Amino acid sequence: MPPELSPARLHVVTGKGGTGKTTVAAALALALAADGRSVLLVETEGRQGIAQLFDTPPLPYEERRVAVTRGGGEVRALAIDIEEALLEYLDMFYNLRRAGRALRKMGAIDFATAIAPGLRDVLLTGKIKEAVTRRRDGRQVYDAVVVDAPPTGRITRFLGVTGEMSQLARSGPIKTQSDGVMAVLRSPQTVVHAVTLLEDMPVQETADAIAELEAAGLPIGSVFVNMAAEPVLPVEALARAAAGGLTGADLSPALTAARLPGGDALADALAAEVTEHARRWTAQDALRAEVTALGRPTVELPLLPGPMDLGCLFELAGRLEEHLGATSPAAATGGTAR
């Protein structure tokens, strides 16, 4: 087996809505699957975002291969269906699958999840735990499981609801299952990664979520700064442009020398574009200190042009693979993680 990119086997990816957490989760799964590893990518919110990213038909409640990576690795994806998860739960712990199907026909399952919203999260985390711990022929089926989890505003509740269920149930299968889920979520094999943008609200929500997760005893992983603008000019030139010190007249001589058509109109338009880029980069740069202050390993992912496709996902995966390799125990000790 190749060196481990991370000692964790369960990677939970959260982020404020609009930060691109589904895209980052998909890229992370590709990174972890490099060099022959097998990774399961789990969707929890029923949006079929993973199917759209990998340009596949909507995912059923079964694990399907969506990508092959370097060295024969593969990513399988699963969109968890709550009804099917409940039927599976009733069958595994109570041998009541047939009764569960009758309940579904009566609409009782929809009713139960509506009046007890926490039940949905219990079923989701239970299925995730089953995938993480599943073994075949004495070996783990998946080297890693990546979860496209709920947003930062709900992540602590999502991961902690099973612990609350454990406190309510004093004994029996529910107690055993709940304790087993929390044992995995609070163990070193789990990390919760946060996706943010270099914007005020996402950075603040990320800080709040990390504080809540730490208070709940849940392990924090990395902060993924998504869609970060990369400077196209030296820092001094960016500062001048951001301050409004760049005009079309500054660019006209170079454009004329290059024999580009457009004259002053083109020069003014280019100056405006440079100024907008410089101001955006300067505003983002001011928030980098706040992200650094969170005290977590951080990696920036670039804003890629055009629609997101598989090629873009692999480009982001390369950045994440470098980050995971740099933060792995092997990198820290100079050896190979086992």
Side-chain angles (χ1 to χ4, degrees):
M1 287 295 295
E4 293 178 6
L5 289 177
S6 169
R9 297 189 57 254
L10 173 57
H11 298 258
V12 180
V13 181
T14 185
K16 177 178 168 55
T19 58
K21 69 178 178 63
T22 300
T23 298
V24 173
L28 178 61
L30 290 173
L32 290 167
D35 295 324
R37 301 178 186 87
S38 179
V39 175
L40 177 65
L41 175 60
V42 179
E43 181 172 293
T44 62
E45 297 183 279
R47 295 183 294 106
Q48 290 292 340
I50 291 173
Q52 294 174 31
L53 280 173
F54 287 96
D55 195 23
T56 66
L59 296 170
Y61 186 57
E62 65 180 45
E63 295 155 22
R64 288 191 172 181
R65 188 170 69 180
V66 292
V68 177
T69 64
R70 183 182 69 241
E74 69 172 15
V75 174
R76 290 184 172 270
L78 170 68
I80 300 180
D81 178 88
I82 294 302
E83 286 193 354
E84 290 295 335
L86 180 55
L87 292 175
E88 187 177 48
Y89 180 88
L90 292 173
D91 184 45
M92 289 176 63
F93 293 100
Y94 298 97
N95 197 27
L96 291 175
R97 189 174 186 88
R98 183 173 297 177
R101 293 191 182 280
L103 289 173
R104 179 166 63 176
K105 290 180 180 179
M106 296 167 55
I109 293 178
D110 287 339
F111 178 72
T113 54
I115 65 171
L119 176 60
R120 174 185 173 87
D121 292 345
V122 168
L123 294 170
L124 288 169
T125 53
K127 179 59 181 178
I128 291 165
K129 178 259 184 182
E130 184 276 327
V132 172
T133 58
R134 189 188 312 161
R135 304 182 75 88
R136 184 179 299 132
D137 298 329
R139 301 187 61 173
Q140 300 283 357
V141 172
Y142 292 109
D143 296 298
V145 175
V146 178
V147 180
D148 177 19
T152 46
R154 282 210 316 117
I155 189 62
T156 304
R157 170 72 176 168
F158 171 72
L159 296 175
V161 69
T162 307
E164 297 175 11
M165 183 70 71
S166 176
Q167 295 175 10
L168 293 175
R170 296 182 179 274
S171 61
I174 293 179
K175 170 71 171 176
T176 301
Q177 169 71 357
S178 300
D179 286 346
V181 170
M182 293 312 297
V184 170
L185 293 179
R186 290 199 169 108
S187 73
Q189 65 180 322
T190 297
V191 287
V192 184
H193 305 292
V195 181
T196 187
L197 304 179
L198 289 175
E199 297 175 3
D200 290 323
M201 288 187 64
V203 170
Q204 185 59 55
E205 280 205 21
T206 298
D208 293 343
I210 288 176
E212 290 177 2
L213 290 165
E214 288 178 335
L218 294 164
I220 315 299
S222 297
V223 174
F224 300 140
V225 178
N226 196 24
M227 293 185 275
E230 298 187 327
V232 296
L233 294 173
V235 175
E236 297 80 4
L238 284 170
R240 176 189 170 195
L246 181 69
T247 66
D250 297 315
L251 302 179
S252 288
L255 296 176
T256 301
R259 297 183 179 180
L260 292 175
D264 292 342
L266 176 61
D268 291 339
L270 288 174
E273 289 287 339
V274 172
T275 299
E276 181 183 350
H277 166 77
R279 287 175 176 168
R280 179 180 179 187
W281 186 87
T282 301
Q284 289 189 350
D285 197 44
L287 289 167
R288 284 184 171 87
E290 295 185 30
V291 174
T292 301
L294 297 175
R296 309 308 310 167
T298 302
V299 60
E300 292 193 8
L301 301 173
L303 175 64
L304 299 177
M308 185 61 59
D309 57 18
L310 192 57
C312 294
L313 285 178
F314 271 106
E315 182 174 344
L316 297 178
R319 299 275 187 118
L320 291 173
E321 190 176 347
E322 291 176 6
H323 169 73
L324 293 171
T327 57
S328 69
T333 60
T336 301
R338 297 292 184 189

